[in-house]
Amino acid sequence: MSQDEQQRTARAGAAGETAYEPDPRRWRVLAVSLVVGFMSLLDVTIVNVAVPSIRAGLDTSAATIQWVVSGYALAFGMTLVAGGRLGDAHGRRRMMTIGLLGFILSSLAVGLAPNAASIVVARLVQGASAGLLTPQNSGLIQQLFRGEERGRAFGMFGFTVAVASAAGPLIGGALIAVLGEENGWRSLFLINVPIGLVALVLIRRLVPDNDSGAAAEKDPRVDLVGALLLGLAVLSVLYPLISLEGGASLPLLGLLAFPVLAWAFVRWERETVRRERPPLLDVSLLRGLPGYANGLLVGTLYFTGFTGIFLVLSVHLQEGEGFSPLGAALLMTPFAVGAATTSPLAGRLVARIGRRVTLLALGVMMTGTALAAALVTQPADRLWWTLAPAMFLAGIGGGGVISPNFTLTLAEVPPRMGGAAGGALQTGQRIGSALGAALLMTVYLAVDSVASAPVAARAALLAALVVLSAALAAAVRSWRRGD
């Protein structure tokens, strides 16, 4: 046993955790949970290519359709930490069952919706259900895996996040191309029903209850006031950013409420701990854990620079270069291929070389992004041979960021807090995604109004490169601190 592992074992003993006994079903449990996680993350991006079809099929306004996309992301981001805490307190199998049932029924409601208002409501429920589901993945990995195996498990989780983010437009474009523009978009949601039902059976058969013994949650009460304060804080950030994507700037005033709400949340959580009640998120404990705060910053900045690239390129390729939705998605697919190649490998390497994996991966991704910025102004018929290889290189780097960052950020988090801590990390990613989409689209539209569309796309990619540079700086800081 290495010195680091001995120190972690000693800390676990001091914290009252039970001795680790590997569950023989752990890899099968991981596979089931990742299928469910893939579904929930896929629905963040898959709907982007369907927006024109939904608008035409239901004859509604662009502002209403914007909420079909944004309502899901909003409800998703607001419920992640509360969903993780509920899983920690009341059982991850129970919360996965409840969340998946809600996700299946709301997906069915979206697919069969007679009008846009029904879709918006169903998408809000679908996003909230995804917020209950997704943090159970990190909680289960914390519970079922240790040491190098945990890195491998997070490697598969990182693979799922990267591929789901990049494959959404491709799958959506393919389904609409096969089933037609008028009603093909409904299949994007209805396909969740049979997959979800199979996953529901497997969850009930395979997913274990939470740890028992010394590491178990002694007080299953949930901090409702903390959940409300944190939800409002996340809302005060996500709603203005989402509104900005739709062209409305007045809601940006809502950002002024964030510092007050964040302060109130931290103050309440500290008071909750002082009174020996179960907090939603033990802020003081997480702040004292090696690597957690820096890992949260790296993840948020990475998703700010990473997610907006797909939105900008999707819009540019279709509206600026005349690509079909499927053609635009195919051109961005090399990113998913590259990420799928390196995510599992990065998960194995992180146990050996630590934060240096993140540094190397960010460097490779930034190189690919810089090449994409240089080549995106090529004529449309050349983009298959110029932009696609650059996206592949960026994907190779991107696949090595997510899983090591999860592993390192959550390395010292007790398994009994794995869901809430993982939910907080993913909330940062959701905020980063919304911020990146708003930032890069703002840059693209501003430059497009005074120059050509290819120049605007280059400017947006350079803006992404600046944000990724900030993520690299945060990772360097984490590495120097030994996190």
Side-chain angles (χ1 to χ4, degrees):
M1 182 182 289
S2 69
Q3 184 177 359
D4 287 345
E5 288 174 330
Q6 289 174 352
Q7 291 173 350
R8 291 191 185 103
T9 302
R11 281 193 289 268
E17 293 181 27
T18 56
Y20 170 62
E21 294 183 8
D23 189 320
R25 302 174 300 172
R26 61 194 181 279
W27 292 107
R28 283 179 287 170
V29 173
L30 178 66
V32 174
S33 70
L34 292 184
V35 168
V36 175
F38 183 84
M39 288 171 56
S40 59
L41 291 169
L42 189 72
D43 272 49
V44 177
T45 58
I46 195 172
V47 73
N48 287 336
V49 297
V51 166
S53 300
I54 297 173
R55 185 179 178 187
L58 298 178
D59 190 24
T60 189
S61 67
T64 301
I65 292 299
Q66 174 67 24
W67 279 103
V68 175
V69 179
S70 304
Y72 181 89
L74 184 63
F76 191 9
M78 287 180 64
T79 52
L80 278 166
V81 176
R85 168 61 190 158
L86 286 167
D88 292 338
H90 295 281
R92 298 186 179 102
R93 179 171 62 185
R94 178 181 298 176
M95 294 317 301
M96 288 184 78
T97 301
I98 294 171
L100 187 53
L101 278 171
F103 193 82
I104 292 169
L105 292 174
S106 56
S107 295
L108 183 64
V110 176
L112 300 178
N115 52 57
S118 301
I119 294 181
V120 171
V121 172
R123 283 284 284 175
L124 288 169
V125 176
Q126 192 185 34
S129 300
L132 296 181
L133 278 173
T134 305
Q136 312 314 326
N137 285 319
S138 58
L140 282 170
I141 292 174
Q142 291 289 101
Q143 176 181 330
L144 297 176
F145 298 93
R146 298 290 187 277
E148 192 168 328
E149 275 197 346
R150 182 179 287 178
R152 290 171 57 196
F154 273 122
M156 298 309 299
F157 181 67
F159 164 85
T160 302
V161 173
V163 173
S165 300
L170 175 63
I171 295 173
L175 286 172
I176 291 173
V178 171
L179 299 175
E181 291 278 344
E182 184 175 352
N183 288 309
W185 61 269
R186 296 182 183 273
S187 65
L188 275 59
F189 307 100
L190 294 176
I191 197 172
N192 291 330
V193 177
I195 298 173
L197 289 172
V198 172
L200 188 62
V201 173
L202 294 175
I203 286 171
R204 300 305 300 172
R205 293 185 60 182
L206 291 175
V207 174
D209 288 324
N210 291 13
D211 289 331
S212 59
E217 178 62 62
K218 295 295 190 298
D219 191 339
R221 289 180 297 173
V222 175
D223 176 14
L224 295 179
V225 174
L228 177 62
L229 288 171
L230 182 60
L232 289 173
V234 174
L235 177 66
S236 70
V237 175
L238 285 181
Y239 178 72
L241 293 175
I242 287 170
S243 299
L244 185 62
E245 288 179 53
S249 57
L250 186 60
L252 286 174
L253 293 174
L255 291 171
L256 298 175
F258 175 74
V260 177
L261 290 167
W263 174 84
F265 171 71
V266 172
R267 182 75 177 266
W268 175 263
E269 293 303 287
R270 287 175 176 170
E271 182 65 18
T272 301
V273 172
R274 189 185 68 79
R275 294 179 180 179
E276 297 184 346
R277 296 176 181 175
L280 181 73
L281 194 65
D282 193 338
V283 179
S284 59
L285 175 61
L286 293 179
R287 188 176 60 183
L289 291 176
Y292 188 84
N294 281 329
L296 182 61
L297 179 61
V298 170
T300 302
L301 288 171
Y302 171 73
F303 270 78
T304 302
F306 150 72
T307 312
I309 291 174
F310 294 103
L311 178 60
V312 165
L313 287 181
S314 179
V315 170
H316 170 65
L317 291 173
Q318 292 180 65
E319 297 183 0
E321 301 291 352
F323 280 69
S324 68
L326 181 58
L330 284 170
L331 190 51
M332 292 183 286
T333 298
F335 185 99
V337 175
T341 303
T342 53
S343 287
L345 176 62
R348 293 186 178 94
L349 286 175
V350 69
R352 302 177 190 175
I353 62 176
R355 182 58 77 182
R356 284 175 290 179
V357 175
T358 312
L359 300 180
L360 177 62
L362 278 169
V364 173
M365 183 177 180
M366 289 171 64
T367 302
T369 304
L371 284 173
L375 298 170
V376 74
T377 55
Q378 294 287 309
D381 59 345
R382 296 185 188 176
L383 291 177
W384 292 105
W385 316 111
T386 55
L387 186 60
M391 294 299 293
F392 178 71
L393 181 62
I396 287 177
V401 177
I402 299 171
S403 55
N405 192 59
F406 259 99
T407 304
L408 295 167
T409 304
L410 301 177
E412 305 295 336
V413 174
R416 61 183 174 81
M417 291 179 58
L425 184 57
Q426 292 175 72
T427 300
Q429 295 175 357
R430 293 302 102 214
I431 291 174
S433 296
L435 178 58
L439 172 65
L440 268 61
M441 278 305 299
T442 299
V443 171
Y444 178 79
L445 294 173
V447 176
D448 187 40
S449 65
V450 297
S452 64
V455 172
R458 172 179 288 175
L461 289 172
L462 290 176
L465 198 59
V466 171
V467 177
L468 291 172
S469 298
L472 179 62
V476 169
R477 180 175 181 269
S478 181
W479 171 58
R480 288 180 174 174
R481 289 166 58 97
D483 293 341

